Amino acid sequence: MEWKANWIWDKSGDHPRNQWSCFRKTFSVLSEYESVTLSISADTKYTVYINGVYLGSGPVRGWTSEWYFDQYELSGLNQGENVIAILVNHYGIGTMHYIEGHGGLISQVDFYNKDRLINQLITDETWKTSNHKGFVKETVKMSNCLAWAEIYDANLFPNDWEKPDFDDTSWNNSEIIGSYGMAPWNNLIPRDIPGLTNEPTFPKSVLSLKEVQPIAQHYSIDLGPTFFKGEFASNSGKIMQGYVVTEIHSNQEMEGVMTLIFDAHAEAKWEFKLTGVEYKTQNGKYEKVKLRKGSNLLIIDVSGSFHEPIMSLAFDFPEKIELNAPFWGDKSNFLAIGPFYTDTRLQIGKPVPKTIPLTKEYLQMSEVSSLNELEAFIK
């Protein structure tokens, strides 16, 4: 096919992490036609609706330099006003089946009559766009092999945004980021396997029912943007040296448990310091800890080698605790100290380091036990 459409995107940036963006275009069918073909692709994946009816999703896996596109034959369009609505999810980071490209959408609708092209609808700056607030961006990856876990809150975004009568006048206009052939999608090739079906499946019976009580407080911290700025690959071992610090506020003295979790393949130190008490733990082990009334400084050594530099931290105390980054008030929960050293393993032509050098700053930070010492170290 001959592409006339543009690649478009919103204002979320080139590599937004776990971004969910909605795009809409209202169009009118003014002349008679025999067939209509929709050609579409997006980075990283899309779901498309015509007049509020689900049409399909894609694209299939591929290299960004030869990215796939899909085609659909449209039927039953209204004589008059119609709407095409597209939801795009951009990962913003690589996985084991995706190399990070760039947030983007390209779509072209071709109208034919007697094998002659009589009209086109292409992606351009007139398309309306909005961030889909129903999908929570601050979520985790189950592993470096997969994309982000989906957390969806239907109360946070209109559930009829893909329908023709939805009012999108308050939405922003899209931005043209380039024409067909732009990098990184130098060439678009047709899908080479059948599309997935989307069919409801209902259980025949319920064999058992069980209620699970989740741990009281849980945090997941993606250290990638801080310790590996500008890196988007997810299939290389990450070596880093640094700390994560938080100030735990408790209304009373109390005992509870804390657990620290990295990925299953991590070669971490598993060390943390709470109110000056040092702990050597294991992945996922529940450590019994004590909090004093008021401020409790928690310093976690996050040095080691990781498939995915994501740390999970969980607490279970009789009462809820508050976590604040020292010297930041309530603006953030955690403060990163470092990196004092970083490297990326398993790159072709690059030797694999056997040890992590102990930098002077890292060793100095290991002696910190109080807010006063931390403040002096940061200055």
Side-chain angles (χ1 to χ4, degrees), residues 125-144:
E125 72 278 3
T126 65
W127 283 56
K128 308 295 286 187
T129 183
S130 175
N131 174 50
H132 196 310
K133 297 179 180 179
F135 289 93
V136 179
K137 294 183 62 175
E138 293 76 17
T139 181
V140 297
K141 294 175 68 179
M142 290 181 286
S143 76
N144 64 325

Side-chain angles (χ1 to χ4, degrees), residues 249-266:
H249 297 272
S250 175
N251 293 324
Q252 62 174 341
E253 290 186 4
M254 56 182 176
E255 296 183 1
V257 295
M258 167 184 158
T259 184
L260 180 63
I261 303 172
F262 287 100
D263 70 72
H265 305 285

Side-chain angles (χ1 to χ4, degrees), residues 45-228:
K45 60 181 183 179
Y46 73 84
T47 303
V48 59
Y49 304 86
I50 298 294
N51 293 329
V53 178
Y54 170 81
L55 183 61
S57 60
V60 296
R61 301 176 185 179
W63 304 101
T64 49
S65 59
E66 286 190 331
W67 198 240
Y68 284 98
F69 74 94
D70 296 320
Q71 289 189 312
Y72 303 91
E73 295 301 317
L74 305 185
S75 61
L77 293 177
N78 300 326
Q79 284 296 324
E81 196 170 89
N82 298 267
V83 67
I84 178 173
I86 305 169
L87 175 65
V88 178
N89 175 214
H90 182 73
Y91 294 168
I93 189 171
T95 68
M96 287 296 189
H97 58 81
Y98 166 72
I99 297 176
E100 168 62 10
H102 185 298
L105 166 69
I106 189 169
S107 175
Q108 180 169 311
V109 182
D110 294 324
F111 294 81
Y112 294 93
N113 194 10
K114 297 180 180 179
D115 297 326
R116 184 174 64 89
L117 180 65
I118 59 173
N119 198 9
Q120 281 185 323
L121 174 70
I122 63 174
T123 40
D124 57 21
E125 72 278 3
T126 65
W127 283 56
K128 308 295 286 187
T129 183
S130 175
N131 174 50
H132 196 310
K133 297 179 180 179
F135 289 93
V136 179
K137 294 183 62 175
E138 293 76 17
T139 181
V140 297
K141 294 175 68 179
M142 290 181 286
S143 76
N144 64 325
C145 302
L146 304 174
W148 307 96
E150 291 185 13
I151 303 177
Y152 181 72
D153 188 340
N155 295 314
L156 300 180
F157 199 74
N159 60 6
D160 59 346
W161 69 271
E162 74 277 12
K163 296 181 179 179
D165 56 355
F166 177 77
D167 183 6
D168 60 14
T169 54
S170 64
W171 287 19
N172 297 320
N173 279 28
S174 298
E175 297 181 353
I176 295 177
I177 58 175
S179 58
Y180 170 75
M182 69 169 289
W185 319 283
N186 300 323
N187 185 33
L188 293 178
I189 57 179
R191 171 190 284 266
D192 58 355
I193 59 174
L196 293 174
T197 60
N198 189 7
E199 303 168 357
T201 302
F202 301 99
K204 294 182 178 180
S205 63
V206 178
L207 300 180
S208 64
L209 187 64
K210 181 166 54 176
E211 183 177 356
V212 177
Q213 180 69 37
I215 198 163
Q217 290 178 257
H218 175 269
Y219 301 87
S220 290
I221 309 169
D222 186 356
L223 299 171
T226 299
F227 286 81
F228 298 92

